[in-house]
Amino acid sequence: SAVISQKPSRDICQRGTSLTIQCQVDSQVTMMFWYRQQPGQSLTLIATANQGSEATYESGFVIDKFPISRPNLTFSTLTVSNMSPEDSSIYLCSVLPGGHTYEQYFGPGTRLTVT
Amino acid sequence: AQRVTQPEKLLSVFKGAPVELKCNYSYSGSPELFWYVQYSRQRLQLLLRHISRESIKGFTADLNKGETSFHLKKPFAQEEDSAMYYCALEDSNYQLIWGAGTKLIIKP
């Protein structure tokens, strides 16, 4: 299993600013993912955070808007840049410890409100 | 196209009644399917996966390849089952494709 923490748990930000969300895992994991969950919606994968290389982004998400770092196997950050009210959402970090068909473990989420 | 469909956004049943949450999928390969659950004020967590063929908290789900379905069932609902349930399909890159979710409300 894996225990995941995220910081901050919530924030209220002004339009045009940026917020960096941290994801910390208690063990080394192969794969880390960043999701967005907008109010009343399902989860949407933003990107796969790759250790030591650039993240792999899904269609509709770009590095300039959502830069991701993954300096080691236990930590990643997601930055939401130049925020607008449409970015208001819950951002979730998840991990797949073994890289096999195991369960994904999720962080508690970061609730972002952009005013 | 790879897709997971949960046709019901909301399902409300009485305590003790049977529950069935529907999930249909579209996938060209051999599917790996999961049910995740999110209880109020808790993080998303795995409920069960089809390859283990287990029963968790009284829930079961059978993969029906002919009907491309993976419905979640429980014979007798309990109030603590109230939660948001997501069906998910794992693709070849270990990424999950998510259904829209079904909010289950168990009425006393």
Side-chain angles (χ1 to χ4, degrees):
Chain A
S1 67
V3 177
I4 304 165
S5 60
Q6 282 184 238
K7 289 182 182 178
S9 59
R10 58 178 62 224
D11 207 342
I12 301 173
C13 301
Q14 290 197 337
R15 180 195 299 261
T17 63
S18 298
L19 176 72
T20 295
I21 302 168
Q22 298 180 5
C23 176
Q24 179 74 53
V25 191
D26 69 341
S27 58
Q28 293 186 342
V29 295
T30 305
M31 303 185 78
M32 295 180 77
F33 305 97
W34 286 99
Y35 288 91
R36 183 170 71 184
Q37 186 176 26
Q38 294 183 306
Q41 307 274 330
S42 185
L43 285 79
T44 301
L45 181 65
I46 298 171
T48 302
N50 303 310
Q51 192 266 329
S53 63
E54 274 193 8
T56 305
Y57 289 85
E58 297 301 302
S59 175
F61 298 96
V62 295
I63 188 171
D64 290 346
K65 175 67 175 177
F66 297 101
I68 288 171
S69 78
R70 187 163 178 205
N72 56 53
L73 293 175
T74 64
F75 186 77
S76 177
T77 66
L78 168 75
T79 299
V80 186
S81 303
N82 189 24
M83 287 184 283
S84 65
E86 293 72 36
D87 294 320
S88 296
S89 186
I90 296 174
Y91 291 85
L92 294 162
C93 169
S94 78
V95 303
L96 189 60
H100 304 290
T101 311
Y102 293 149
E103 65 183 279
Q104 283 193 21
Y105 294 88
F106 285 83
T110 295
R111 183 180 293 273
L112 170 63
T113 303
V114 184
T115 59
Chain B
Q2 301 169 128
R3 185 167 51 243
V4 175
T5 303
Q6 292 180 251
E8 304 139 328
K9 292 199 76 171
L10 175 66
L11 182 64
S12 181
V13 301
F14 284 103
K15 176 183 172 181
V19 171
E20 182 178 51
L21 290 86
K22 292 184 168 52
C23 172
N24 288 90
Y25 67 90
S26 173
Y27 187 63
S28 56
S30 183
E32 300 287 353
L33 287 152
F34 304 80
W35 277 98
Y36 280 79
V37 60
Q38 188 167 26
Y39 301 102
S40 178
R41 303 182 192 280
Q42 295 187 29
R43 65 184 69 189
L44 197 60
Q45 59 186 288
L46 178 70
L47 179 63
L48 55 80
R49 49 185 170 156
H50 93 271
I51 57 171
S52 57
R53 301 186 65 80
E54 56 197 346
S55 174
I56 303 292
K57 300 184 179 183
F59 284 98
T60 59
D62 291 320
L63 177 61
N64 186 322
K65 291 187 177 181
E67 296 182 357
T68 59
S69 68
F70 187 57
H71 303 328
L72 184 67
K73 300 177 184 178
K74 184 169 183 176
F76 307 104
Q78 299 171 296
E79 288 187 65
E80 54 265 33
D81 295 328
S82 294
M84 196 74 188
Y85 290 81
Y86 294 95
C87 182
L89 168 71
E90 185 181 84
D91 70 10
S92 56
N93 294 318
Y94 306 111
Q95 294 173 352
L96 290 174
I97 301 163
W98 297 84
T102 298
K103 185 173 185 177
L104 177 64
I105 297 175
I106 307 300
K107 297 178 286 189

